[in-house]
Amino acid sequence: MANMIKIKLPHSYFEDLGESVRLVWRNTLYADFEKKILAKVIKKKYRVRPEITAEKGYLIIDNIDDPDVEKFVEFFISNNLGAFLKSRYTRREVIYIHEGMNVPLLGYNAFGLIDRGTNLIQVRGSSGCNLSCIFCSVDEGPYSRTRRIDYVVDIDYLMKWFDEVARFKGKGLEAHLDGQGEPLLYPFIVELVQALKEHPNVDVVSMQSNGVLLNDKLVEELAEAGLDRINLSVHSLDPEKAKMLMGMKNYDLNHVLEMAEALVNAGIDVLLAPVIIFGVNDNEAEAFIEFARKIGAGKRWPALGFQNYMPYKFGRNPAIARLVPFKKFYEWLRELEKKTGMKPLVLRPEHFGMHRRKFIPLAFRTGEVVKAEVVLPGRIEGEMLAVARNRLIEVINTNARVGDKIRVKIVRTRHGIYVGTPVK
């Protein structure tokens, strides 16, 4: 067929939406391009009137036969991708953070790296979640009322910062992939696991996940990349109750349970991590233990990590939740240990090979006033991210804009996560 060019980009496919075409990139992100804008830039460059459609994953440009148009359109799309990028799961705008932006990856809790003074480093490549759990501590997911933006960090940039942190922290590290949401939304998740596993200072690579986005192919890829353990967030073994707790009518519990078994069979250890809401799912504790035994969870680490539900200031705090003091929660766990013989259920850092290590030195003192430059919008209204001394600061209660230079009073420095308020 003459006068037609078909374009497909790496790790991507196109969909036709009528007035626009959608580029789906690495299954987790997308960008919509209006057909009339694409046609306009092609017309300006090549003096033709192209017809633009998408079919079977390809972008199709009719009424043109110049071979250079393919590279031109690829360049245009790649160049403008950042302006239109969104998450397929939260539908929120995504900011792609790369080396050229000079955004530090220490200081903020939604992306980057977190050091809590142990040999475990939290690695957060992206924000956002595919579920809207009714007890979510950060009000994440498609139905979030407060989160307005998501981030994705370029893998090379993330590993560059990890390398610096790892050099300071020493050998025998655990790299733990978690975040404000679901780590499997990170578009380079398999590559990240592999890069971390190959790092000379890393012994263990683990991940927190709700398991929904797993499939047989991805499980095998993660196993081959070297993933050691998944802490799997499963909060009920009753399909309807699970849908209610996960906040999604299409939540498929059976799929997640099948994936738990597939992980174990692939050589990835599984720790089931239910959040216990007393009066809602505490009566399923023995069923969780039975399921963990059945699939062979907990070969190298504990098989279960029961968590006590706690309300959070910016979280979703359901009215059905009954708060139980931690003293009583630990008594409940010890009774379960006696009754079922499943140990340990009262977990300590040493069960995971965790021990204290020197902290990365703090860049600021609480109460200190510093000059900072605003570089990114924050995740919630009135929050912006600013940079000073090669660290990010979450500035709250501000109406500053990107590019502004402001004075910030540091109000929190715990675990190297910096929060500040603007001062005049």
Side-chain angles (χ1 to χ4, degrees), residues 15-205:
E15 295 176 336
D16 199 311
L17 303 181
E19 300 292 313
S20 61
V21 288
R22 172 167 293 177
L23 173 69
V24 179
W25 182 45
R26 287 183 169 264
N27 289 321
T28 62
L29 303 168
Y30 73 91
D32 291 344
F33 293 88
E34 286 186 41
K35 289 179 180 178
K36 63 182 179 185
I37 290 175
L38 287 173
K40 188 177 179 182
V41 296
I42 294 169
K43 181 185 173 188
K44 190 176 179 183
K45 174 86 174 170
Y46 294 97
R47 311 274 179 198
V48 294
R49 289 181 181 273
E51 279 185 28
I52 292 167
T53 54
E55 192 178 318
K56 294 181 180 175
Y58 286 89
L59 179 69
I60 297 170
I61 303 171
D62 264 325
N63 298 334
I64 192 164
D65 54 11
D66 190 324
D68 288 345
V69 77
E70 186 170 346
K71 282 185 180 174
F72 173 75
V73 171
E74 284 178 13
F75 179 78
F76 177 82
I77 287 174
S78 300
N79 233 23
N80 290 278
L81 194 59
F84 300 111
L85 212 53
K86 288 190 174 182
S87 165
R88 282 185 76 197
Y89 297 97
T90 66
R91 305 290 176 185
R92 292 191 288 258
E93 178 192 344
V94 171
I95 296 177
Y96 190 84
I97 296 163
H98 54 83
E99 188 164 7
M101 294 169 72
N102 289 318
V103 172
L105 298 186
L106 285 170
Y108 188 45
N109 62 5
F111 63 82
L113 307 166
I114 300 174
D115 164 34
R116 301 190 191 272
T118 73
N119 60 322
L120 182 143
I121 304 298
Q122 289 168 263
V123 181
R124 299 183 164 183
S126 60
S127 64
C129 194
N130 54 318
L131 301 181
S132 288
C133 298
I134 65 167
F135 49 80
C136 179
S137 62
V138 291
D139 184 32
E140 246 311 336
Y143 304 132
S144 174
R145 297 183 305 275
T146 58
R147 307 286 144 177
R148 60 179 187 161
I149 213 158
D150 284 323
Y151 311 96
V152 167
V153 183
D154 179 77
I155 184 171
D156 293 334
Y157 190 48
L158 187 58
M159 285 307 301
K160 182 181 176 183
W161 272 80
F162 183 86
D163 193 46
E164 286 185 33
V165 169
R167 210 175 303 137
F168 176 85
K169 297 292 287 187
K171 292 194 176 293
L173 300 179
E174 176 171 346
H176 183 62
L177 308 178
D178 66 357
Q180 291 190 341
E182 169 56 50
L184 290 179
L185 265 62
Y186 186 56
F188 314 102
I189 191 66
V190 175
E191 295 93 330
L192 180 59
V193 168
Q194 185 171 345
L196 290 167
K197 189 65 178 178
E198 290 173 355
H199 195 283
N201 288 17
V202 172
D203 285 354
V204 174
V205 179

